[in-house]
Amino acid sequence: MDGAGSGNGVAAGRRSAPPGKGERVADWADGRLGIYALAKANMRKVFPDHWSFMLGEVCLYSFLVLILTGVYLTLFFEPSTAEVVYNGTYEPLNGVLMTRAYESTLDISFEVRGGLLIRQIHHWAALVFVTGMLVHMMRVFFTGAFRKPRELNWVFGWTLLMLGIITGLTGYSLPDDLLSGTGLRFAYGAILSVPIVGTYLAFFLFGGEFPGEDFIARLYPVHILLLPGIMLGLVVAHLILVFYHKHTQYPGPGRDQKSVVGMPFLPVYMAKAGGFFFLVFGVLALMGGVASINPVWAFGPYRPDLVTTGAQPDWYLGFSEGLIRVMPGWELNAWGHTLELGVFIPFSLFPLILLALGLYPFLEAWVTGDRREHHILDRPRNVPVRTGLGAAWLSLYAVLLIGGGNDIVATHLHLSINVITWFVRIAVFVVPVLTYVVTKRICLGLQRRDRDNVLHGRETGTIKRLPHGEYIEVHEPLTQGQLHTLTQHEQHPPYEIGPTVDANGVRRRVTPSQRVRARLARAMFGSASRIEKPTVEEYREVTSGEHHH
């Protein structure tokens, strides 16, 4: 009895022991937020793993670095166009008349502790952010990761790219140096070219005729508050959808539309993500410390009567300037008004070229009529038309980037700027077409090689002589995993209108959109755009034959 009583006393003592502080906090949070159930359901969620998925993480971590460094810079920058006479640390500019915005930028660079490093990290992070978004979107484009149910996430990503470009434009315009002022004057002239409302838009954005006195005060809240706030909301929504849908998977054994092969979100994925953040931050800090960028003191303050030699915007806006530089100076005069076609047409093409990339997923969904969910990625070679269109879009971007820097190319390569301008004018129409054709043929060639590898195996380089004297190369059969990867893609027949007259002789009405859809389907997914996969019968016939080596 005593022993039993003693045991019960011990048990009772254990039950009555008060919970620890951490346990009480966890119980309090779980009772109000349901954290335990949420964590139990999601923290062990499996995510696929591939090196290309890190492109999106580069964008995310660069964005975080931009926010952190931007907050630091706002503590010292003054968005004022009030004119002052500089008398600071940088002696070559002492006594020069400038705006307070430019003076505060010089103070950040030379007098604030760590100011120049933070400025350069901020600028490099902006470049890496936009670069990462473009490369990440092209990875998604070429592999078909934009298909259902991820169309909305594609729109979020495309919007982030557009906002990133605009935010970059407003950001490097704030210091009011000669380079940024030249870029703003370029933007001001482009806005003025808009028919009817161009003057109103320009006066609304700049507060009067350029350069005016309010444009920095107007750009500042747009750059540090409005655009980053919208982008932050889009980033959060983007991440929520990525977490909900999970990453798409590259084709391989054990992977289909319902199963996921990967690692759990916690602790593996989180540990890798945390380490990768510090890696990205370290690289950006290294770039900001050793690679000078945007040295505003070398350009001097903005003056309307001066233009810097070799003035170039950041690379992501170079193609927009290239459109205007290579466009003929066409003007149309009517009813006492002048329409600057040489500026308005390229100014309109700038968003349209980006819009073509944003709308493509919806065009493809309409052409295919495919409403299924897709969690397995395409190999770019198996969709040669899409791959060719993406490559053509990139080639157009590259050609216009050359046009945007035609003066730099001319001076460095010792060429005539007129020759470069005419080369870009012709290449804008020729290079994308050639790129599309070459890319499509390469994809078809790779499909033929995959078909040959499936039927005959991999070439080993070993030469064998048969009894009758013939020399052959020995082929090694592919593994089941390799065969699955090369043959798992679907090859549905493209959409067709079908017979226009039924069995009773009644003519069926065919709309113009159906005709367009059928033609696009034949061009994008017809027999001329794919190599048929080997059938099971073909594979068995070849592999079971006595001449299979």
Side-chain angles (χ1 to χ4, degrees):
M1 293 294 293
D2 293 340
S6 175
N8 291 336
V10 173
R14 288 176 179 172
R15 285 197 300 270
S16 62
K21 183 177 180 180
E23 186 178 353
R24 292 198 305 271
V25 172
D27 288 340
W28 182 89
D30 183 56
R32 290 154 180 81
L33 303 175
I35 293 177
Y36 175 76
L38 183 66
K40 184 178 180 181
N42 295 294
M43 290 299 99
R44 299 293 294 176
K45 195 171 186 176
V46 175
F47 278 79
D49 191 28
H50 192 269
W51 68 264
S52 64
F53 298 158
M54 292 190 296
L55 295 170
E57 295 185 44
V58 169
C59 303
L60 174 63
Y61 302 148
S62 300
F63 183 70
L64 294 178
V65 172
L66 278 170
I67 293 177
L68 294 175
T69 54
V71 169
Y72 184 84
L73 294 175
T74 57
L75 301 177
F76 305 99
F77 180 76
E78 295 187 27
S80 171
T81 54
E83 293 187 335
V84 297
V85 176
Y86 182 71
N87 187 24
T89 305
Y90 190 66
E91 293 186 0
L93 289 178
N94 279 340
V96 175
L97 189 66
M98 60 185 65
T99 61
R100 182 68 189 112
Y102 183 72
E103 184 186 40
S104 65
T105 305
L106 294 178
D107 292 341
I108 292 173
S109 302
F110 297 113
E111 299 184 20
V112 175
R113 186 180 297 273
L116 180 58
L117 175 64
I118 299 299
R119 268 196 65 234
Q120 299 202 147
I121 292 176
H122 189 75
H123 203 130
W124 278 119
L127 294 180
V128 172
F129 175 61
V130 180
T131 304
M133 281 197 296
L134 182 60
V135 177
H136 176 58
M137 287 192 68
M138 296 316 297
R139 196 277 302 176
V140 172
F141 180 87
F142 285 123
T143 58
F146 52 73
R147 293 172 294 177
K148 184 182 178 181
R150 296 175 177 84
E151 305 98 327
L152 189 59
N153 235 6
W154 171 266
V155 174
F156 286 165
W158 181 86
T159 307
L160 280 169
L161 177 61
M162 288 291 295
L163 292 178
I165 292 175
I166 299 173
T167 307
L169 172 64
T170 58
Y172 84 76
S173 301
L174 289 177
D176 197 33
D177 59 282
L178 189 55
L179 178 62
S180 67
T182 303
L184 272 181
R185 182 163 58 181
F186 172 87
Y188 180 80
I191 295 173
L192 283 177
S193 69
V194 178
I196 303 175
V197 297
T199 304
Y200 298 97
L201 287 175
F203 274 54
F204 173 76
L205 293 174
F206 290 87
E209 292 187 1
F210 187 79
E213 297 180 354
D214 298 331
F215 69 97
I216 293 180
R218 296 189 180 204
L219 288 178
Y220 187 65
V222 170
H223 178 72
I224 71 165
L225 185 62
L226 178 62
L227 294 179
I230 298 174
M231 294 174 69
L232 183 60
L234 289 173
V235 167
V236 172
H238 186 81
L239 292 177
I240 291 174
L241 288 180
V242 168
F243 190 87
Y244 177 71
H245 296 305
K246 297 184 293 293
H247 274 301
T248 46
Q249 302 181 89
Y250 283 89
R255 303 172 185 177
D256 55 37
Q257 303 294 349
K258 296 183 179 181
S259 62
V260 180
V261 177
M263 297 178 297
F265 181 73
L266 193 71
V268 178
Y269 203 84
M270 284 295 294
K272 293 178 64 176
F276 193 54
F277 167 75
F278 288 105
L279 179 62
V280 171
F281 184 82
V283 171
L284 290 174
L286 179 64
M287 295 170 66
V290 303
S292 177
I293 186 171
N294 197 26
V296 295
W297 55 89
F299 307 137
Y302 176 70
R303 282 178 49 182
D305 58 330
L306 296 179
V307 176
T308 54
T309 302
Q312 302 293 319
D314 286 329
W315 73 268
Y316 48 84
L317 282 171
F319 83 101
S320 63
E321 184 161 341
L323 281 166
I324 292 183
R325 287 196 183 191
V326 302
M327 180 72 186
W330 295 342
E331 290 184 358
L332 182 63
N333 296 301
W335 301 290
H337 298 277
T338 300
L339 181 60
E340 289 285 350
L341 297 178
V343 178
F344 177 65
I345 290 178
F347 183 62
S348 303
L349 288 176
F350 164 61
L352 291 178
I353 291 174
L354 291 172
L355 187 63
L357 181 66
L359 294 180
Y360 177 84
F362 303 97
L363 172 65
E364 183 174 302
W366 175 68
V367 170
T368 60
D370 189 357
R371 294 179 174 84
R372 300 171 301 162
E373 290 193 359
H374 293 272
H375 302 287
I376 299 295
L377 296 171
D378 289 329
R379 302 174 75 210
R381 66 186 63 182
N382 293 330
V383 277
V385 172
R386 180 205 297 159
T387 305
L389 290 174
W393 189 91
L394 289 175
S395 68
L396 175 63
Y397 200 108
V399 167
L400 292 175
L401 197 60
I402 296 174
N406 56 0
D407 53 341
I408 300 296
V409 176
T411 54
H412 281 68
L413 299 182
H414 306 289
L415 297 173
S416 167
I417 195 170
N418 292 327
V419 171
I420 297 173
T421 300
W422 275 104
F423 164 79
V424 174
R425 287 176 178 175
I426 297 172
V428 161
F429 300 97
V430 175
V431 170
V433 176
L434 291 178
T435 303
Y436 170 80
V437 173
V438 171
T439 303
K440 182 179 177 182
R441 290 183 65 87
I442 291 174
C443 290
L444 293 175
L446 292 174
Q447 287 188 48
R448 291 189 182 93
R449 189 183 70 176
D450 288 346
R451 175 184 170 87
D452 186 67
N453 287 339
V454 169
L455 293 176
H456 302 288
R458 183 180 64 85
E459 296 178 355
T460 63
T462 303
I463 305 299
K464 179 179 179 181
R465 184 180 182 184
L466 299 180
H468 59 277
E470 179 185 359
Y471 288 92
I472 62 170
E473 182 180 12
V474 178
H475 286 228
E476 177 185 350
L478 301 182
T479 65
Q480 289 299 315
Q482 291 171 327
L483 290 173
H484 173 80
T485 301
L486 296 181
T487 60
Q488 55 78 38
H489 59 284
E490 299 174 339
Q491 289 186 329
H492 295 296
Y495 167 80
E496 294 180 353
I497 296 177
T500 56
V501 180
D502 62 17
N504 298 321
V506 178
R507 181 172 295 277
R508 181 167 61 91
R509 181 175 177 271
V510 180
T511 63
S513 64
Q514 289 176 314
R515 297 182 186 277
V516 172
R517 179 184 172 190
R519 291 174 182 173
L520 288 175
R522 283 196 303 271
M524 297 173 66
F525 305 102
S527 58
S529 300
R530 68 186 185 191
I531 303 299
E532 296 296 331
K533 298 189 300 182
T535 62
V536 176
E537 292 75 16
E538 288 178 314
Y539 178 75
R540 289 174 177 171
E541 179 182 356
V542 173
T543 55
S544 63
E546 59 182 24
H547 294 293
H548 180 69
H549 303 283

